[in-house]
Amino acid sequence: AAEQAASGFTVWRSYDEPGGYRDQMYALAHDNPQITKLVKIGTTLNGREILALKVTQGARGQADGSRPAVLYSAPQHAREWIATEVDRRLMTWYVDQWRANDRDVRKLLQGTELWFMPVANPDGYQYTFSTERLWRKNLRDNDHNGQITVGDGVDPNRNFPNHWGYDNEGSSSIPSSETYRGTGAESEAETAAMKGLLDRVKFSFQVNY
């Protein structure tokens, strides 16, 4: 990531850096209180906030889930930078169009809740900038040796309770596998955070980039 940045990329941002995804979500919520509500839905093993942004007319006065809702989430797999940027651009597009008085967007946001999670795996995502560009999982220290190595991490997308551990094809019981499902269903903070939001808001559907 550092080498790519030195070569001049201008799109990709980490989670932690000034102006990174955490800062951008806080700024978007601060600047658009009429239609946004920033919600901390969990905390990672390394203490990072797991954030979701609700976009709807009167967002802070409307009970979560009181309107038909959709969740746009990305990325559970840390190295999928493009998924995060797609989610961020869609999120900011709706806000920008509302600010520009787009009639269709304003009408949509009067009766619909749009929720955005541009980074569902903040620890892993940040790690792809600081240490290992192709890291996929979260930063669970599976062998408890105080270091993150090839045998560490859990795939958050294989950690949900639905059919957890059903077989070793869709997920793996081997910690070094990139599809390692963890020691138990919903064992990971990232999974628990998203599932908690899903259970609470009762979304009509989810788009998971």
Side-chain angles (χ1 to χ4, degrees):
E3 290 174 359
Q4 290 183 35
S7 298
F9 74 64
T10 57
V11 173
W12 315 118
R13 296 286 183 272
S14 71
Y15 196 74
D16 293 348
E17 69 182 280
Y21 281 96
R22 179 187 180 279
D23 283 0
Q24 289 184 52
M25 293 188 73
Y26 268 93
L28 202 63
H30 177 270
D31 295 342
N32 300 278
Q34 307 95 323
I35 58 165
T36 63
K37 174 187 173 183
L38 187 63
V39 182
K40 177 185 173 183
I41 62 172
T43 304
T44 68
L45 284 170
N46 288 356
R48 291 185 175 88
E49 296 174 310
I50 305 172
L51 300 172
L53 188 77
K54 180 173 78 167
V55 181
T56 190
Q57 183 67 45
R60 301 179 191 190
Q62 291 285 331
D64 297 347
S66 59
R67 294 169 173 165
V70 56
L71 174 62
Y72 298 96
S73 58
Q76 289 174 294
H77 300 142
R79 63 193 178 203
E80 297 169 1
W81 290 3
I82 189 65
T84 292
E85 184 62 12
V86 166
D87 203 68
R88 184 197 69 81
R89 291 189 187 202
L90 184 61
M91 175 177 67
T92 57
W93 183 86
Y94 275 108
V95 173
D96 290 344
Q97 294 303 110
W98 181 87
R99 292 177 66 94
N101 291 314
D102 181 288
R103 183 171 60 182
D104 291 336
V105 169
R106 287 202 165 223
K107 182 178 180 181
L108 178 70
L109 295 184
Q110 288 170 3
T112 309
E113 290 180 23
L114 307 181
W115 287 75
F116 296 90
M117 283 183 68
V119 185
N121 178 7
D123 283 354
Y125 182 77
Q126 183 63 35
Y127 194 71
T128 65
F129 281 82
S130 65
T131 307
E132 172 52 62
R133 172 65 185 91
L134 295 181
W135 189 260
R136 171 184 164 96
K137 300 181 281 184
N138 71 2
L139 295 188
R140 169 73 65 184
D141 184 8
N142 293 325
D143 55 12
H144 309 290
N145 69 351
Q147 303 177 54
I148 299 299
T149 60
V150 69
D152 292 321
V154 173
D155 182 344
N157 200 33
R158 269 70 176 178
N159 189 239
F160 287 91
N162 305 68
H163 303 294
W164 183 89
Y166 179 77
D167 60 32
N168 289 320
E169 296 180 14
S171 65
S172 176
S173 60
I174 302 170
S176 60
S177 170
E178 294 212 321
T179 59
Y180 176 54
R181 57 181 172 256
T183 57
E186 205 179 333
S187 61
E188 305 309 300
E190 297 84 0
T191 308
M194 184 181 289
K195 185 177 182 300
L197 183 64
L198 292 168
D199 290 345
R200 182 166 64 84
V201 176
K202 307 296 184 187
F203 294 96
S204 299
F205 65 95
Q206 176 183 5
V207 178
N208 186 11
Y209 294 110

